């Protein structure tokens, strides 16, 4: 193996840069060249290449986003698009490709291996934490910390003015961010796609907490479950609090990665190149019980990781 390619693809996630750095440095220290393609799969099709040396990835670990930029590429979903991509990969002498991204990006990687026998390794990076067979994806921890920090500030005002804050967070299909940040913040309730919302029961819960002396109310809402405005409309006349709505939006994806994400991304990048060098490919690097795992891409993509509902039960008890 002489030369590997690397891309970041799909939704960006904090820690992607730390993964690029680890891939580049691990490879270069072992005498392998690294070519980065800008903008994910569309950069492979358009041949937007950059050679990455040891020095090129200095000072990027602490930066949010991705220096290789990212995009969504519809063309790559077609056989013709993948043929074009493969032609460029061959012409650039790429022996293997490391793909850093979410479920869609890893699916694309698996197709490259299946259709063209290109050795690929995937690194799971998505704030949704919905990828099977890895306990954590790169970016999740930073996202949660951002949500907790922002919501903590809202909680101060909620207490001062005895208000309810309805905080909408990302998660179109998964309630992971809403639930986990809700636990970390002590939210009164979480509204997530995995659980049908019962506004009557929710209002009763909030009223009971108020009777127990609670002077604020934070409700975390995953965008895929309901809009914060809908939740407010259903609750404000029933709960006796003035309500305020905050939609955190894209601040959740940005920012300097936490130590956890930097370390996870470093381990995964290092492991991805080490796996390729030992002849392993068509895999995703996962975190399982604290250790790096080689998960066949097919297994990683066989289903979405379901939300662990024991956390939901716990959140109801603790808030
Ligand atoms: P994420 O990787 O964050 O899940 P997307 O689902 O948007 O984000 O996927 C990112 C890119 O990966 C897509 O724009 C496309 O280029 C590629 N991709 C996604 N799904 C497939 C698929 N089924 N077949 C081939 N390529 C895919």
């Amino acid at each position: 193996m002489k030369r590997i390619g690397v891309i970041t693809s799909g939704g960006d996630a904090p820690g992607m840069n730390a993964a690029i750095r680890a891939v580049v440095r691990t490879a270069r220290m072992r005498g392998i060249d690294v070519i980065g393609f800008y903008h994910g799969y569309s950069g492979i099709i358009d041949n937007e290449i950059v050679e990455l040396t040891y020095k090129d990835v200095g000072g990027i670990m602490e930066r949010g986003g991705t220096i290789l930029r990212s995009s969504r590429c519809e063309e790559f979903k077609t056989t013709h698009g993948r043929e074009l991509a493969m032609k460029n990969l061959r012409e650039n002498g790429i022996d293997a490709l490391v793909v850093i991204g979410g479920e869609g990006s890893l699916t694309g990687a698996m197709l490259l291996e299946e259709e063209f026998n290109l050795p690929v390794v995937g690194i799971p990076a998505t704030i949704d934490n919905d990828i099977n067979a890895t306990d954590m994806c790169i970016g999740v921890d930073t996202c949660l910390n951002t949500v907790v920090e922002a919501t903590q500030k809202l909680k101060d005002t909620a207490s001062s003015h005895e208000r309810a804050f309805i905080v909408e967070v990302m998660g179109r299909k998964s309630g992971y961010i809403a639930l986990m940040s809700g636990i970390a913040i002590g939210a009164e309730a979480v509204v997530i796609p995995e659980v049908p919302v019962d506004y009557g029961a929710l209002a009763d819960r909030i009223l009971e907490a108020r009777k127990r002396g609670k002077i604020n109310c934070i409700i975390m809402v995953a965008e895929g479950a309901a809009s914060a405005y809908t939740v407010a409309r259903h609750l404000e006349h029933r709960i006796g609090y003035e309500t305020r709505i905050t939609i955190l939006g894209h601040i959740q994806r940005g920012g300097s990665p936490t130590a956890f994400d930097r370390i996870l991304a470093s381990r995964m990048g290092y492991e991805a190149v080490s796996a390729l060098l030992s002849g392993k490919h068509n895999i995703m690097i996962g975190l399982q019980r604290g250790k790096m795992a080689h998960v066949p891409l097919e297994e990683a993509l066989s289903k979405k990781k379901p939300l662990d509902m024991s956390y939901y039960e716990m959140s109801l008890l603790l808030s």
Side-chain angles (χ1 to χ4, degrees), residues 7-12 16 39-42 45 70-79 82 99-112 115 125-128 130-131 172 253 304:
I7 59 168
T8 49
S9 164
D12 69 335
M16 280 180 157
H39 302 119
Y41 291 114
S42 76
I45 291 173
S70 190
S71 75
R72 298 204 155 86
C73 173
E74 283 306 307
E75 197 179 3
F76 189 79
K77 291 186 180 171
T78 66
T79 313
R82 290 194 294 277
V99 175
I100 304 164
E103 195 191 8
S105 304
L106 301 187
T107 304
M110 186 170 75
L111 289 175
L112 278 180
E115 293 172 352
T126 164
I127 59 167
D128 289 336
D130 57 354
I131 296 184
R172 265 188 234 123
R253 293 184 102 88
K304 285 229 177 228

Side-chain angles (χ1 to χ4, degrees), residues 4 22-34 273 277:
I4 63 174
V23 166
V24 171
R25 292 201 163 167
T26 306
R28 297 296 293 212
M29 291 307 278
R30 289 165 177 176
I32 296 162
D33 289 341
V34 184
V273 176
L277 286 175

Side-chain angles (χ1 to χ4, degrees), residues 29 70 93 101 125 133 155 164 179 200 239 246 314:
M29 291 307 278
S70 190
K155 203 171 172 181
L179 178 55
I239 59 176
T246 299
M314 187 183 83

Side-chain angles (χ1 to χ4, degrees), residues 154 196 272 290 298:
L154 299 174
E298 199 176 357

Side-chain angles (χ1 to χ4, degrees), residues 42-166:
S42 76
I44 301 184
I45 291 173
D46 298 337
N47 211 25
E48 296 179 76
I49 64 168
V50 57
E51 180 158 9
L52 294 168
T53 65
Y54 196 91
K55 211 163 133 259
D56 291 327
V57 291
I60 67 167
M61 178 143 71
E62 57 268 43
R63 284 163 60 185
T66 157
I67 60 157
L68 285 177
R69 312 202 198 120
S70 190
S71 75
R72 298 204 155 86
C73 173
E74 283 306 307
E75 197 179 3
F76 189 79
K77 291 186 180 171
T78 66
T79 313
H80 178 63
R82 290 194 294 277
E83 279 167 359
L84 288 176
M86 198 56 222
K87 185 170 163 283
N88 279 337
L89 288 166
R90 282 209 186 95
E91 281 176 10
N92 284 297
I94 303 296
D95 301 314
L97 184 69
V98 176
V99 175
I100 304 164
E103 195 191 8
S105 304
L106 301 187
T107 304
M110 186 170 75
L111 289 175
L112 278 180
E113 170 118 23
E114 280 176 1
E115 293 172 352
F116 306 101
N117 286 321
L118 178 77
V120 299
V121 175
I123 294 181
T126 164
I127 59 167
D128 289 336
N129 212 27
D130 57 354
I131 296 184
N132 188 37
T134 184
D135 296 340
M136 289 293 269
C137 298
I138 294 169
V140 175
D141 186 65
T142 306
C143 168
L144 280 179
N145 277 285
T146 301
V147 171
V148 168
E149 192 191 336
T151 310
Q152 191 65 52
K153 290 177 180 161
L154 299 174
K155 203 171 172 181
D156 291 344
T157 295
S159 298
S160 306
H161 292 274
E162 302 195 21
R163 278 182 190 152
F165 269 88
I166 299 167

